[in-house]
Amino acid sequence: MSRFYKNNKIGYICYIAFLTLVTSCSLGLSLGEVAIKSKKQTNGVIRVLLKLGDSFKNDSTNDLLVLFLLGIVLFFLVRKEYSRRCKRCSFVFSVCASMLLLLGRAFYKKNNLDAIFESGFTIAKAFVILAGYCILIYYMVNAFMEYLLPKLEISTFIKKYVPKRFKVTIWSCFVAILIAWLPYIIICYPCNFTPDARDEVAQFIGDKKICKTNKSIVYPDEATTLLNNHHPIAYTIAVGLFAKAGILLGHINITMFTFVMLQVLSLAFVYSYAINYIRSIKVPIVFQMLSLLFFMFYPVIPMYALTITKDSLYGGFMILVTIQFFKIVRSEEKFFSSRKEKWILFGASTGLMLLRNNGLYILLIVLFILGVRYRRSFKRIKTIVFTIGIPIFLYGIVLLKIILPACNIPQGSPREMLSMPFQQVARYAVEWGEEGFKDGEIEKINKILCFDKDLEVLKERYDPILSDGVKNHFNKYYTKEELKDFFGVWLKLLVRHPETYITATLHNNAYYYSVDYGKHILYNGTGAPGAKFGLKNPQFSEYPRSVVTQLIKALNKSSMLGWAFSVGTWNYMFFLCILYMIYKRQYKYVLVTLPVVLNLLICIAGPVAYMRYAIEWIVVLPLFGAMVWECLRNKSVSELMG
């Protein structure tokens, strides 16, 4: 392309103009059918042009600034020649990302795929949008991997910049983070309280009226408590102890503030530890400072640190596990000979399972993969068994199979793991009605989903982005035979109309791959869940908390900054980092990303896609950036030979 630029500048400018036109059109076009407002009947080309013009009116991204910026960006990105491997990686990523972005936009617009397939006109528009996304992402990824990153790697400023009045250490970062979080701590006093926290406290104090999970779980006849493992039992007991102490002392605000401050201090220390580790591997100070600023000023992070939810601490343990895996692939000998590092991984693995039930499944897969990787080294296999295998045994066997049954504490309801099949069957009912079922099939799914054999009831319960309406009516007294019959019908419906299941899955998880903004992202104050136990935010904090909340909402809905509050944006960043590791043939670093990737895949099967789940892996992003820098410094064999 650079040769074409030198030999035919006019042709090159025309080429750039064409790419700019396509990409700007793809950003400016609104998905979906557009009604013609003109009273006169129009046909043919005129009608198409009118509909096309109206399509642009519905989006704010169609302006001259976008055209101008895209022209400049493409001019510099297209101008450089990229390697074949880079082009192949960029092409695969751009096609996959573009298709997901288009699907996410369609669900955001109309809650179905009609925005793409409603008519020939919408299909044509969707094709233009898809082409524009592909072009822009393709060249931007090429430039990221072979232009931007190499420029950063040789940058004198990035390598030699040193802040004059700030030295990056674990304690300086810890203090800086706490100072930045102080306004949130003050205005959110005593804490942000969630519906899940309300249920956890209700379990611990034995309040059947407030407890929700007892309605979906079968307790043993000998049970004397409402405790169950729907929410991780360790976190439930911890929250319950502080809440009950506050209720008995008459100062629940103080005890819950104490609990949340312990959580805040723990997370601030873990984030500081992550920055300190990044410093220890000689990542430039600029990126260390960017990581610190990210933890200090991305408002979602302190707000979740102040929220009583297991997901915040779980994210901290996800960071620790990722750091330990990073240490393994960077310097195996040093890690496997260090008792300290082994105990840190042991504790991180245990915490990962104690704070989310799916941590067990993540570590089982990781244990298997590490076992295969180190199968020829008995010493290292022994270390892996100690640091990951023993925590799995203690949690999965001793706690879940021995201690909890002995205490008559039941496991959580299987309905959480069945959220996606429930959503798929419910959407099938919505799209195909009674005609889509054969004799006896409705009765079999009714025994699990309890809708009185009336499909209209099931249709009303269906929410395409949240499975609660369907799964909340799960028959907790089901038999194994009834569940087997349900899955028999589920499989038949899948074969009959697979597109419905695909649509249900994509729609339920659209927030994970869409970059559209404006969704609910955080909890604010004690609210109604906390009021059940006497928790209340002081009067003086109402106004400043409202101002901060409205400001975050405004940023979330902003057409310029809303992307920063979209889960999809962070997920694309993660997979772009992984793509670079693959492009550089640094496959060992892909292993480090495994816990995050597995966590994301498990969440896809969950009841809803939203920020509370995603914060668990968003906070790991600085470590992914450090891995990219490592890959950039570690020249591949082909590069050294070439």
Side-chain angles (χ1 to χ4, degrees), residues 628-639:
V628 167
W629 189 262
E630 280 285 286
C631 293
L632 184 62
R633 290 192 301 199
N634 297 341
K635 304 296 183 183
S636 65
V637 175
S638 59
E639 288 176 308

Side-chain angles (χ1 to χ4, degrees), residues 231-260:
H231 308 294
I233 190 69
Y235 196 78
T236 297
I237 292 174
V239 174
L241 281 171
F242 278 84
K244 189 161 187 177
I247 293 171
L248 293 175
L249 296 172
H251 295 287
I252 191 171
N253 269 18
I254 294 176
T255 57
M256 296 314 294
F257 178 69
T258 303
F259 176 84
V260 85

Side-chain angles (χ1 to χ4, degrees), residues 341-568:
E341 300 300 346
K342 295 174 187 176
W343 278 109
I344 292 175
L345 182 54
F346 181 95
S349 300
T350 304
L352 207 66
M353 291 182 289
L354 288 176
L355 285 164
R356 275 196 74 88
N357 295 323
N358 59 25
L360 173 63
Y361 308 113
I362 291 173
L363 290 179
L364 279 171
I365 297 173
V366 169
L367 178 65
F368 173 77
I369 293 175
L370 290 177
V372 172
R373 177 181 172 87
Y374 297 113
R375 64 189 180 277
R376 296 179 181 176
S377 172
F378 176 75
K379 181 180 177 181
R380 293 181 180 180
I381 284 289
K382 186 170 66 173
T383 299
I384 295 301
V385 170
F386 169 74
T387 56
I388 300 177
I390 290 180
I392 288 175
F393 174 78
L394 292 176
Y395 178 79
I397 304 298
V398 177
L399 179 63
L400 298 187
K401 302 299 183 182
I402 299 175
I403 296 178
L404 293 188
C407 297
N408 295 312
I409 297 175
Q411 298 294 326
S413 171
R415 69 179 191 171
E416 301 303 318
M417 296 185 291
L418 301 177
S419 291
M420 193 49 61
F422 290 170
Q423 286 288 83
Q424 292 164 342
V425 169
R427 189 169 189 119
Y428 186 96
V430 170
E431 292 188 357
W432 301 101
E434 292 188 10
E435 294 79 9
F437 294 89
K438 296 183 179 179
D439 293 341
E441 291 180 339
I442 293 178
E443 288 79 0
K444 289 178 180 178
I445 63 173
N446 177 67
K447 289 180 180 179
I448 296 296
L449 298 180
C450 303
F451 51 91
D452 297 327
K453 301 180 184 179
D454 186 354
L455 284 185
E456 293 302 319
V457 174
L458 184 59
K459 292 178 184 179
E460 290 175 4
R461 292 175 183 170
Y462 176 66
D463 182 341
I465 62 173
L466 178 63
S467 69
D468 286 5
V470 178
K471 73 179 178 65
N472 283 350
H473 294 85
F474 171 73
N475 176 17
K476 67 178 183 178
Y477 299 108
Y478 73 96
T479 65
K480 291 183 179 180
E481 190 63 30
E482 288 172 342
L483 190 61
K484 181 181 177 181
D485 289 341
F486 171 84
F487 274 105
V489 174
W490 174 85
L491 185 59
K492 291 177 182 178
L493 301 183
L494 169 62
V495 174
R496 212 169 291 162
H497 291 289
E499 72 281 2
T500 298
Y501 280 31
I502 294 172
T503 303
T505 304
L506 289 171
H507 199 170
N508 198 80
N509 293 286
Y511 194 37
Y512 285 146
Y513 57 84
S514 169
V515 296
D516 290 302
Y517 39 84
K519 303 285 187 181
H520 170 75
I521 57 172
L522 48 82
Y523 298 91
N524 172 35
T526 58
K532 298 284 186 180
F533 309 106
L535 268 173
K536 188 177 181 181
N537 300 108
Q539 188 64 35
F540 78 86
S541 67
E542 291 292 336
Y543 179 72
R545 191 172 67 259
S546 174
V547 170
V548 170
T549 303
Q550 292 303 318
L551 178 61
I552 294 175
K553 286 183 178 179
L555 292 173
N556 184 24
K557 294 180 179 179
S558 166
S559 60
M560 295 295 292
L561 297 174
W563 59 268
F565 298 89
S566 169
V567 175

Side-chain angles (χ1 to χ4, degrees), residues 95 170 198 316 339 497 613:
V95 171
I170 190 169
R198 175 184 60 196
R339 185 174 298 178
H497 291 289
Y613 293 154

